[in-house]
Amino acid sequence: MSSTARTKTTTAVTGLAPAVWGSTYLIATELLPPDRPLLATTVRALPGGLILLAIGRQLPAGVWWWRALVLGVLNIGAFNVLLFVAAYRLPGGVAAVIMSAQPMFVVVLAALFLGERIRAVHALACMLGAGGVLLLVAQGTVSSDTTGVLAAVGGALCMASGITLTKRWGRPDGVSLFTFTGWQLTAAGLVLLPMWLSLEDIPDRLTGSNVFGFAYLVILGAVLSYIVWFRGIERLPAVAVSFLALGSPVVATLLGYLVKDQTLSVLQLVGMAVIFLAVVLGQPQPPGRAPVASAELRTIPDSDSDSDAVSSGRRTSRG
């Protein structure tokens, strides 16, 4: 398989994670106990993390104790809590619009800490992505809540910082992707556990639907999706991964239309198309095009130097 084909495959597989996360809203509203976001987030993270730790049987060492904690909080814990706060306090999908600024933050952070070059196409993709999400969730209201806005901005920054730091620190030698994901899920769950116990009550009983919903969150919404997500961060540029997250509101909208009989307007269809275009523009360019162009540009000015190199080679062989 060529490098281009491998990149496309990795991109497609990584995009499955935001698609699963886009289904989380439907699962939470239809199958889980109502009005318990901390319970949902804690159960989503902690059991899966403990299962992966039991499989890997390897704890962090040295600096990776605090690194795993930081990554777990940014990628999973704080991000999900802030996302829930924003969703509860902001009307009309405003939270989704603000969260769509996340690739813009990654573009800047990746340039500062990873040395990834800021390209004009990335700026265009950021604007298209934000505009597409705006069309997707527009509800004709502009009312907002300061706490909700700050939570949405904080959530976007958490995700952007988590992607950047995961890319910068990488994964320790000898640590499997399963174990690496388990560290972060466990760290997030342990941070969330006291918050849940102190701020929310425990449900009196769980129905069969509740159990199925929690199982979905643990297996697909956490364990498998985050393994795929962190694998993508390892193999793709940070900016490219960040644009894939724009798939979440698209999946959430489609599921609302298919499962809950919600309407799907022409503007929303246009928004989906614009988001798709933004995701495509944000991905790595095929390696075959740029080198050919640069080689053509070098043909004329380097002709003299090529002949000099040949002459130099002859002189060296004679010597």
Side-chain angles (χ1 to χ4, degrees):
M1 184 183 294
S2 65
S3 60
T4 301
R6 284 196 298 270
T7 299
K8 290 181 178 179
T9 301
T10 301
T11 300
V13 172
T14 306
L16 293 175
V20 170
W21 298 336
S23 68
T24 301
Y25 176 77
L26 181 66
I27 296 296
T29 56
E30 298 298 314
L31 299 180
L32 299 185
D35 300 324
R36 290 180 174 86
L38 288 174
L39 169 63
T41 309
T42 304
V43 173
R44 181 182 182 182
L46 190 55
L50 293 176
I51 290 172
L52 291 177
L53 284 184
I55 294 174
R57 297 184 180 182
Q58 187 176 7
L59 293 175
V63 297
W64 278 102
W65 279 105
W66 67 266
R67 285 185 176 181
L69 176 62
V70 170
L71 293 178
V73 169
L74 289 176
N75 285 320
I76 304 165
F79 167 72
N80 281 282
V81 171
L82 291 171
L83 180 63
F84 274 117
V85 171
Y88 277 111
R89 300 184 72 102
L90 294 178
V94 176
V97 177
I98 298 175
M99 293 291 292
S100 68
Q102 174 264 135
M104 303 180 193
F105 296 143
V106 175
V107 167
V108 176
L109 291 175
L112 292 175
F113 298 104
L114 303 177
E116 293 187 11
R117 184 166 57 91
I118 298 179
R119 300 165 53 207
V121 69
H122 290 155
L124 175 60
C126 286
M127 291 186 289
L128 288 174
V133 173
L134 178 61
L135 291 174
L136 196 64
V137 302
Q139 301 289 333
T141 178
V142 294
S143 59
S144 62
D145 175 274
T146 302
T147 302
V149 170
L150 292 176
V153 173
L157 280 171
C158 279
M159 188 175 195
S161 301
I163 291 173
T164 305
L165 287 178
T166 303
K167 187 71 175 179
R168 179 178 177 84
W169 289 339
R171 177 161 45 100
D173 293 335
V175 175
S176 69
L177 192 57
F178 277 61
T179 300
F180 185 62
T181 304
W183 290 354
Q184 296 187 51
L185 286 171
T186 303
L190 292 177
V191 170
L192 291 168
L193 183 61
M195 297 175 60
W196 164 52
L197 293 176
S198 60
L199 297 176
E200 292 180 358
D201 59 328
I202 300 176
D204 296 330
R205 67 185 185 90
L206 294 177
T207 65
S209 297
N210 296 154
V211 173
F212 178 82
F214 283 127
Y216 180 93
L217 286 184
V218 172
I219 298 172
L220 288 179
V223 173
L224 295 180
S225 60
Y226 274 110
I227 287 174
V228 166
W229 185 245
F230 294 140
R231 174 181 177 272
I233 294 177
E234 286 184 353
R235 302 187 180 193
L236 296 171
V239 174
V241 175
S242 70
F243 280 104
L244 294 175
L246 295 176
S248 286
V250 174
V251 172
T253 302
L254 288 175
L255 288 176
Y257 171 75
L258 295 173
V259 179
K260 302 185 71 175
D261 295 326
Q262 296 175 352
T263 60
L264 195 60
S265 67
V266 175
L267 283 180
Q268 287 178 310
L269 292 174
V270 172
M272 291 181 187
V274 172
I275 290 173
F276 178 77
L277 178 59
V279 172
V280 171
L281 290 176
Q283 298 313 301
Q285 296 298 311
R289 296 178 182 177
V292 172
S294 59
E296 291 175 352
L297 291 176
R298 287 197 302 266
T299 300
I300 295 176
D302 287 355
S303 59
D304 293 335
S305 59
D306 291 343
S307 61
D308 291 342
V310 173
S311 300
S312 175
R314 291 173 178 171
R315 287 194 299 268
T316 303
S317 62
R318 290 171 184 172

